[in-house]
Amino acid sequence: MDRSRRDVARRVFITCWLVYSLHVATNMIRENYLALAIGDHLSFRVDEYAGMHDDIFEHPGFGWHIGSNPGASMLAAIPYALSRPILDPVIRAVQDRRREAGATSPPTYDAPLETDRRLYEEAWRRGFDVKFGIASVIMQSLCMAVISALGVVLMYLVLAGWLKSSRTALWLALLYAFGTPLFYRTGFLNHNMMMGTFGFFGFAMLWNRWGWSRVSDTGRFFLAGLAGGVCVLLDYSGILLLLGLGAYGAATLREREGARGVLASGSTRRLGAWAVGAIGPLALLWFYQWTSFGHPLYPPQHWMPPVEYIELGYQGITTPSPELAGMLAFDYRFGLFVSCPLFLLALASPFFRASGRAVLPRRELIVCGAIVLAFFLFFSGVHYTRWQFNTGIRYLAPTFPFLFLLSAVTLMRLPGLASRILGGVSIVFAWMMAMSRDVSGGKVELTDQDTGLGVLDPVLSVLGNGPQLPALTTLSRMEGYGFLTSGLLQPWQLFLFLGVLLVLVWRKRPVS
């Protein structure tokens, strides 16, 4: 990698990290609670947060735990634990002031959903409200935003190596960063999007189109296996990425060996390195399950109390359903192609390949398409897919980088003006979703009476109320914090400040 490309990569990272961090959402999800427990006590038990989330449950004899894999929480616990020397005194000072003031009831929180109001009141009573707010920002800005920004850098490096043009790769990478639901999903801790980034990292290691020479072939296979293992540590659907990367690695080695019937010793060694890389995160997952539930192989969902859809198949997982497939693709609240029309271009990529006009190699085209199809078919049989109505597109987030690579094949074949207009519209749409995040129509249950407009609700909110930032929106609804958002902190002021920073980052021309 030459110096110019490294320089661009640094600027891309800083740009994405700044923008993603500014658009932080203060949501407390199940992974946050485990991250707090790890950072506070080096424990997998979340007993002190019992009853604060539907996915926190008690397993007799083992305490309270979350009903998901621990990977995202383990990663988020790192910056949280490092921040505690500063965070803990702030929390103690707030609690001391409340006791001195004799406060006995929580302030008003004018949230649109009753569940959010109840959570805030309970958090206030337990003394967790400030901790939750600051910790969620730390975990998003120093974990989630960092991982997503690194994913965009990786996309830039892959595109630059593939297209042999740093300029084209830069603009495509920024389109991936801010013109797809990656922007929206990075608002708070999200293991699905992390899986996409780690899975794409494994793919990039095996393809090595950027020509990374500092790591040997064996080392790259090890890193690809490690990335696949981390995907499973994040969620069991990561098995699709782990197996896909393994098959892709074997195919690349088989091509090198040509027509010979057996793999040479070097190829066998590389596959062994892939397996060694994968086993580490898998062993950590098994350890977590053993200490938390008493059995190393059963997933956390196996122990959860009965919930809606759990009676279908195994824990709500059945064979693919045409109804769920249609919802994954086109539901107005979380459908893939509704949330990101840009991804429709991916459907045309195989035809460009067949006509000989695409430069994406056939094997990589097949691998990207197979990974997308595998996730689509799998989640077409997961009935919890319906629960995306409250937070927007989520389950197919691991496919975003692969879909974008396929979409780039088509995008580069469009007339220049058409591609620029499509890119600009995609960025504006994705930005509006990141600014105003409600896609549920203000509903907390999936009912036939849901009259919301899904992904159009954030668009109408921004058009009607102007630019917004999720964290400021939350503060404006809380009694006692209105003075901050009424004059001191306004979205336009922070956007102006961000613009100045980005001008400084890009003040010198990075590419010729």
Side-chain angles (χ1 to χ4, degrees):
M1 188 192 314
D2 59 35
R3 180 178 302 176
S4 175
R5 194 171 295 179
R6 287 196 300 270
D7 177 54
V8 173
R10 284 192 294 268
R11 298 181 195 215
V12 168
F13 173 80
I14 295 171
T15 298
C16 293
W17 179 72
L18 288 172
V19 175
Y20 290 155
S21 296
L22 185 62
H23 290 78
V24 57
T26 55
N27 300 53
M28 280 295 295
I29 60 171
R30 59 191 179 187
E31 286 80 8
N32 288 105
Y33 296 100
L34 177 56
L36 291 172
I38 296 173
D40 286 335
H41 316 297
L42 286 178
S43 171
F44 296 143
R45 295 179 57 154
V46 294
D47 298 36
E48 59 191 311
Y49 308 117
M52 301 194 74
H53 194 284
D54 291 339
D55 284 345
I56 294 178
F57 62 94
E58 185 178 17
H59 184 53
F62 291 87
W64 292 77
H65 296 276
I66 67 170
S68 63
N69 288 20
S73 302
M74 291 176 174
L75 292 171
I78 298 172
Y80 168 70
L82 294 175
S83 72
R84 286 192 58 201
I86 299 175
L87 176 58
D88 289 352
V90 172
I91 296 173
R92 286 194 297 269
V94 171
Q95 297 303 322
D96 290 343
R97 290 189 62 182
R98 286 178 180 173
R99 282 191 293 269
E100 293 172 0
T104 58
S105 60
T108 301
Y109 177 35
D110 189 23
L113 300 180
E114 177 63 25
T115 52
D116 292 340
R117 293 193 289 271
R118 289 200 303 266
L119 174 61
Y120 176 73
E121 291 170 0
E122 184 63 23
W124 190 93
R125 292 189 181 96
R126 299 193 195 186
F128 291 147
D129 56 317
V130 175
K131 177 178 181 177
F132 284 176
I134 300 177
S136 65
V137 171
I138 290 171
M139 293 178 192
Q140 187 272 354
S141 60
L142 298 181
C143 177
M144 190 68 219
V146 169
I147 291 174
S148 290
L150 289 173
V152 177
V153 170
L154 183 64
M155 180 64 73
Y156 163 72
L157 295 174
V158 169
L159 290 168
W162 166 34
L163 302 175
K164 307 302 181 185
S165 170
S166 290
R167 182 184 297 276
T168 303
L170 172 60
W171 290 114
L172 285 173
L174 293 177
L175 177 59
Y176 170 65
F178 305 120
T180 72
L182 168 64
F183 195 177
Y184 172 80
R185 284 263 55 103
T186 303
F188 57 86
L189 207 60
N190 183 248
H191 66 282
N192 307 93
M193 195 63 251
M194 288 184 184
M195 284 169 53
T197 299
F198 280 101
F200 191 64
F201 174 78
F203 171 81
M205 288 295 100
L206 296 174
W207 192 15
N208 196 30
R209 198 57 181 257
W210 57 14
W212 192 21
S213 59
R214 292 187 178 183
V215 177
S216 65
D217 280 358
T218 302
R220 288 189 295 101
F221 269 77
F222 171 82
L223 291 174
L226 181 65
V230 169
C231 289
V232 182
L233 182 64
L234 290 164
D235 189 84
Y236 267 106
S237 63
I239 292 175
L240 300 176
L241 285 167
L242 176 64
L243 296 178
L245 293 174
Y248 177 42
T252 61
L253 294 175
R254 180 65 64 183
E255 181 177 316
R256 294 181 188 182
E257 295 298 318
R260 282 179 285 180
V262 296
L263 293 175
S265 59
S267 297
T268 304
R269 184 172 62 252
R270 294 183 183 96
L271 288 178
W274 174 86
V276 170
I279 198 66
L282 295 179
L284 182 56
L285 174 61
W286 297 331
F287 172 76
Y288 167 78
Q289 292 173 167
W290 173 60
T291 58
S292 298
F293 307 107
H295 196 289
L297 300 182
Y298 285 140
Q301 293 85 348
H302 179 83
W303 310 102
M304 287 180 62
V307 294
E308 190 176 7
Y309 307 124
I310 202 171
E311 75 282 357
L312 301 174
Y314 175 72
Q315 301 294 103
I317 301 174
T318 64
T319 55
S321 159
E323 178 192 6
L324 293 178
M327 295 178 72
L328 280 171
F330 298 111
D331 188 277
Y332 65 100
R333 295 155 298 189
F334 56 79
L336 175 67
F337 300 120
V338 177
S339 302
C340 186
L342 180 70
F343 284 155
L344 284 168
L345 297 180
L347 302 179
S349 58
F351 300 100
F352 284 113
R353 181 65 185 87
S355 66
R357 289 182 288 171
V359 293
L360 190 64
R362 180 174 179 271
R363 184 180 62 223
E364 281 66 34
L365 191 74
I366 292 174
V367 169
C368 291
I371 289 174
V372 172
L373 182 61
F375 271 90
F376 190 83
L377 290 176
F378 175 74
F379 282 109
S380 294
V382 177
H383 289 263
Y384 306 124
T385 289
R386 305 173 191 272
W387 288 353
Q388 293 178 99
F389 75 92
N390 58 350
T391 59
I393 184 170
R394 182 171 79 237
Y395 289 122
L396 293 182
T399 68
F400 291 170
F402 304 98
L403 276 166
F404 185 81
L405 205 59
L406 294 173
S407 300
V409 173
T410 305
L411 189 64
M412 291 186 298
R413 298 302 182 276
L414 296 179
L417 180 60
S419 63
R420 287 192 288 271
I421 292 175
L422 180 58
V425 171
S426 298
I427 289 174
V428 171
F429 178 58
W431 188 21
M432 288 180 173
M433 287 188 63
M435 281 193 285
S436 178
R437 306 180 60 85
D438 182 18
V439 298
S440 67
K443 304 294 182 181
V444 296
E445 295 180 355
L446 185 60
T447 67
D448 294 336
Q449 288 73 41
D450 189 346
T451 57
L453 298 177
V455 299
L456 288 182
D457 279 330
V459 175
L460 296 177
S461 177
V462 173
L463 291 178
N465 303 312
Q468 303 165 36
L469 286 171
L472 294 186
T473 300
T474 299
L475 284 175
S476 69
R477 294 169 174 164
M478 289 183 173
E479 181 183 352
Y481 294 95
F483 73 95
L484 290 175
T485 57
S486 62
L488 183 61
L489 291 177
Q490 292 290 325
W492 68 268
Q493 294 171 328
L494 295 178
F495 285 137
L496 180 61
F497 180 65
L498 174 64
V500 172
L501 293 179
L502 295 182
V503 168
L504 295 176
V505 171
W506 294 95
R507 65 187 183 279
K508 294 182 180 179
R509 192 178 183 89
V511 292
S512 58

